[in-house]
Amino acid sequence: MGYRVTIKPSGHQFENEAGETLLESALRSGIAINYHCSSGSCGECHGRLIEGELAEAQFHDYRFSKQQLRDGSLLLCRNRAASDLVISANEINDPASIPLQTIETKVYKIDHPNDEYLILQLRTPRSRTLQFLAGQTVKLIIPELESYSIAVASCPCNGMILQFHINLNHPHPFVQRLSEKEKDVGKIVVEGPFGEHILNVQYDLPIIFIAKDSEFGAIKSLIEQVINLELPQPIRLFWIASDDERHYMENYCRSWCDQLDDYHFKGIKQGDSEDIEGVLAQISDMLNVEKIDYSLSDIYIASPFSDLYRMQKWWQTHADAQNIYLMTENRDRYADKPKDGTVVT
Ligand code: FES
């Protein structure tokens, strides 16, 4: 049986399940808590007990002063609840407040959902996990090669196993080396996180996610966060790809119906001669049928750089959409340039 934990001053709540620390439960529930080592050394996850009882704390190196102990100070990564609790804790509301981290990782797993894409999972040391928010990117670094920027495709609730969706046709040297060496690529350094377009949970606006090709990875992380937070508003996911093979996690997208009350998924094929504006018109027609007001929705677009700004422009001019959040992979010299000649600074 779990205990209910309420965080002051936000009022956020989570269930502390048996066998989990307070930090693990909070992260699993989609609550972004400030932490660093996860092992009781740094003190970054400190909080304070306001009401309730704690189980005996696990050993930790970090030392509180006598005054802090009298005030009920605790480490979320070393404590568990023994009753329902009210605590104070340092929650992260602003991506800029997450420190830049540089972590050496190992390849944990590589999957090939089709000939074109690769799903890479990296494992950090247990005491050096990555703190990030859904929707943020990192740089992946193989020594002597240029760094490769990419969105983290996994949930921030697990900072130790990090997932990335990679298009093997990308000409970036990092991608080419990984494709050649696979698990033998050696150590990969992760630097980050970067990016400010995180999930906006301030209002109960409908959320429309639009992913193109393997940029689906960024959207996957955001939707896993939506599920953890148990957000009640309508959620619509449209995944654009040129054929069914490229909807490489279609069944997984459908399975989210079981976890979200008001969720629909639609995989959309973009024909060779069809431009992206035509596809977006189809999406807006589907939303109109459902009477979802996209001018009053949060729209998250994750696309290769070449189409990103055309997609933004279409929603702004045809749908008067105000809340558009853009995500893309590398904007460096290896990325396809915008097809309409847009100059991006
Ligand atoms: S995260 Fe370092 S002490 Fe808890």
Side-chain angles (χ1 to χ4, degrees), residues 106-142:
K106 288 185 184 155
V107 175
Y108 174 68
K109 198 168 178 225
I110 288 181
D111 289 310
H112 289 273
N114 58 33
D115 290 346
E116 208 173 336
Y117 298 145
L118 176 150
I119 297 180
L120 169 69
Q121 295 195 63
L122 298 178
R123 186 188 175 111
T124 72
R126 186 171 291 279
S127 60
R128 196 79 178 79
T129 57
L130 180 75
Q131 187 174 17
F132 68 101
L133 298 174
Q136 289 195 294
T137 61
V138 294
K139 289 181 182 171
L140 300 182
I141 304 165
I142 295 174

Side-chain angles (χ1 to χ4, degrees), residues 116-250:
E116 208 173 336
Y117 298 145
L118 176 150
I119 297 180
L120 169 69
Q121 295 195 63
L122 298 178
R123 186 188 175 111
T124 72
R126 186 171 291 279
S127 60
R128 196 79 178 79
T129 57
L130 180 75
Q131 187 174 17
F132 68 101
L133 298 174
Q136 289 195 294
T137 61
V138 294
K139 289 181 182 171
L140 300 182
I141 304 165
I142 295 174
E144 294 163 23
L145 296 184
E146 277 180 54
S147 60
Y148 182 64
S149 295
I150 187 166
V152 186
S154 44
C155 173
C157 54
N158 186 346
M160 190 161 76
I161 305 293
L162 307 170
Q163 190 181 100
F164 303 94
H165 295 191
I166 294 175
N167 182 342
L168 293 173
N169 290 330
H170 200 293
H172 194 285
F174 174 92
V175 177
Q176 295 313 309
R177 177 73 63 88
L178 183 66
S179 151
E180 209 178 289
K181 301 272 185 188
E182 298 239 331
K183 274 199 146 183
D184 296 329
V185 74
K187 294 205 160 82
I188 295 179
V189 174
V190 174
E191 186 181 285
F194 303 98
E196 293 170 4
H197 288 168
I198 58 165
L199 201 61
N200 178 10
V201 291
Q202 271 180 312
Y203 310 104
D204 284 353
L205 297 177
I207 304 180
I208 300 166
F209 292 109
I210 302 172
K212 182 146 191 263
D213 299 333
S214 62
E215 296 302 310
F216 165 72
I219 297 292
K220 173 178 171 285
S221 177
L222 287 166
I223 296 184
E224 288 175 350
Q225 178 85 339
V226 166
I227 291 169
N228 287 337
L229 289 169
E230 299 177 7
L231 297 185
Q233 58 260 57
I235 309 288
R236 299 294 178 267
L237 167 61
F238 300 93
W239 186 358
I240 305 165
S242 54
D243 58 46
D244 287 339
E245 279 275 284
R246 290 180 178 162
H247 289 125
Y248 51 88
M249 292 188 107
E250 193 163 12

